[in-house]
Amino acid sequence: MRRTMLLIIPTTILALVVQQNNACFVKSALRFVQKAIVRWDGFDSKYLQTLSVNDKNVDIQYWNSKLGNHKSIKIRFNHEYELSEHWIPDKPLKVILHGWLDSIIHEDGVSCIKTAYVYVGGYNVITVDWGGIAGFRNYMLPMLMTSKIGARLAKVLDNIVHLGLVQSEDIHLIGHSLGAHIAGVCGSLTKSGKIGRITGLDPAGPGFEFAKLQKKGLKKSDAQFVDVIHTSGGSTGIYHSAGHADFFPNGGSVPQPGCYDGIKLERIIGLVGCSHSRAYMLYADSVYYPGTLMAYKCLSWNDYVNDDCDSDEKTPMGHGASPTVRGDFYFRTTSSPPYDDPDAPKQDL
């Protein structure tokens, strides 16, 4: 945990005293952080070899509107045929993955997306609870295990496709933080056909974009359409564009509206965590309120704020994002749900 604080604290302190879109600053900050955490004490890389991904430490559950939000069906590896009696035919599949130190059982976490899809109905939903691994406080271990978990999930989805329950193009993976990279690995390894869509919710930056220790992470070739939502770019989340379409609410960096409470050291971790988690909260909002959170294509946040965008192209962010759009998109939000407020002034940050 101490090593992780070396990553979060210096990046966040620096991020608060410069403009959010200052690329030169961000590059310098990332180099500083990389030097701080590139060496890890007390971690035996051989320990990874002893870890297995099984039905105990990766709990995969199936949900739909008929079962409701309080009942699910456990998916056992190589027993996916047990889903047949519960599956809603001719409906797309949403697969939801959480991040580090999280779990699907945390109702205030990424499970809000599962709750939203089950509530609105019309979807088959799978949650991947890898809390048995994500719960390790040494960030390096869960980070390096993302490739193994992604490979296991790819086999599960291949089995479901081979059963004729869903087509690959109707599968949508939605992953937060490290879960976004698990989704990317899964998409790159599926053999039954290319996944239709992957949404990365503030994909984890440490170990992937800087202090690169994990080569396998989310990239645009992992699905037919990859969209990325950035809410803590340059600290816990990746800073640069990584998908076919990248969305930068409020500039995409720390702090997101409602997360800033002064530059006091004891508040910094909460500030970063708040901004990092805002990605899945915004996404859940887009399920309940389709067509909102309208984002506009622009070259930068500064250009958007100054109404200096070259294009009039726009698309809803999140659930309703058009799979045909390409480029970087910006918009403003409020500080609490419902988040849609295109006229929110910049000083609300």
Side-chain angles (χ1 to χ4, degrees):
M1 189 66 173
R2 187 177 72 250
R3 290 291 184 268
T4 305
M5 294 307 102
L6 286 173
L7 180 153
I8 295 175
I9 292 175
T11 309
T12 306
I13 292 175
L14 292 171
L16 290 173
V17 295
V18 299
Q19 294 180 353
Q20 294 181 19
N21 66 327
N22 190 323
C24 292
F25 155 74
V26 172
K27 290 179 181 179
S28 298
L30 297 189
R31 284 195 295 269
F32 173 81
V33 173
Q34 181 170 352
K35 291 178 181 179
I37 69 166
V38 72
R39 295 181 181 275
W40 296 72
D41 294 342
F43 180 83
D44 184 359
S45 60
K46 293 182 180 179
Y47 184 50
L48 285 173
Q49 305 299 324
T50 68
L51 287 179
S52 62
V53 177
N54 52 53
D55 291 335
K56 292 183 178 180
N57 56 26
V58 179
D59 183 22
I60 305 178
Q61 299 279 341
Y62 171 79
W63 313 73
N64 63 35
S65 56
K66 294 180 180 179
L67 295 169
N69 259 308
H70 300 289
K71 182 180 179 181
S72 60
I73 306 299
K74 184 175 178 62
I75 302 175
R76 296 184 298 154
F77 185 55
N78 284 334
H79 289 76
E80 291 82 1
Y81 59 86
E82 296 173 345
L83 290 176
S84 299
E85 60 182 294
H86 304 284
W87 198 270
I88 301 178
D90 303 319
K91 296 297 182 182
L93 170 63
K94 305 292 182 180
V95 182
I96 302 164
L97 302 109
H98 62 81
W100 179 50
L101 297 181
D102 200 357
S103 170
I104 289 297
I105 63 174
H106 296 160
E107 293 186 2
D108 59 345
V110 74
S111 67
C112 64
I113 299 175
K114 179 273 296 181
T115 300
Y117 274 122
V118 172
Y119 178 82
V120 302
Y123 301 94
N124 296 289
V125 181
I126 286 177
T127 55
V128 181
D129 190 340
W130 58 290
I133 296 172
F136 281 83
R137 292 194 172 273
N138 185 329
Y139 173 82
M140 188 175 184
L141 188 146
M143 180 265 293
L144 292 175
M145 286 295 291
T146 54
S147 56
K148 284 191 174 183
I149 299 168
R152 176 62 167 255
L153 180 59
K155 293 179 181 178
V156 170
L157 295 182
D158 279 337
N159 289 343
I160 292 174
V161 171
H162 290 151
L163 287 169
L165 298 179
V166 70
Q167 299 297 314
S168 297
E169 57 264 30
D170 292 324
I171 298 176
H172 178 191
L173 304 179
I174 306 165
H176 175 241
S177 191
L178 286 179
H181 296 299
I182 294 175
V185 172
C186 173
S188 69
L189 295 178
T190 51
K191 298 179 179 179
S192 52
K194 197 157 193 175
I195 295 294
R197 180 181 175 187
I198 295 177
T199 298
L201 305 175
D202 209 34
F208 294 89
E209 185 174 61
F210 50 94
K212 293 184 178 181
L213 301 172
Q214 174 59 281
K215 296 180 180 180
K216 297 179 180 179
L218 179 63
K219 55 188 182 299
K220 66 175 63 177
S221 61
D222 293 331
Q224 296 177 29
F225 176 56
V226 175
D227 57 312
V228 179
I229 299 173
H230 303 260
T231 54
S232 69
S235 56
T236 49
I238 63 174
Y239 176 77
H240 295 93
S241 301
H244 296 101
D246 286 72
F247 295 84
F248 298 85
N250 311 296
S253 301
V254 174
Q256 289 293 306
C259 292
Y260 179 69
D261 191 22
I263 313 179
K264 291 187 177 181
L265 184 59
E266 65 271 18
R267 296 174 179 171
I268 288 176
I269 304 306
L271 182 154
V272 176
C274 173
S275 297
H276 192 42
S277 64
R278 186 59 56 86
Y280 60 72
M281 297 171 73
L282 290 173
Y283 189 94
D285 212 47
S286 75
V287 178
Y288 289 118
Y289 307 103
T292 63
L293 301 175
M294 191 63 66
Y296 296 81
K297 187 174 182 178
C298 209
L299 293 178
S300 70
W301 173 243
N302 267 355
D303 286 346
Y304 172 79
V305 170
N306 295 323
D307 197 21
D308 195 24
C309 301
D310 295 332
S311 171
D312 292 329
E313 186 175 359
K314 60 182 180 179
T315 183
M317 188 209 74
H319 170 72
S322 170
T324 62
V325 297
R326 298 293 184 270
D328 294 342
F329 293 80
Y330 297 84
F331 66 106
R332 295 186 176 98
T333 74
T334 60
S335 59
S336 59
Y339 291 102
D340 185 50
D341 188 356
D343 298 319
K346 185 181 179 184
Q347 53 265 36
D348 279 356
L349 296 178

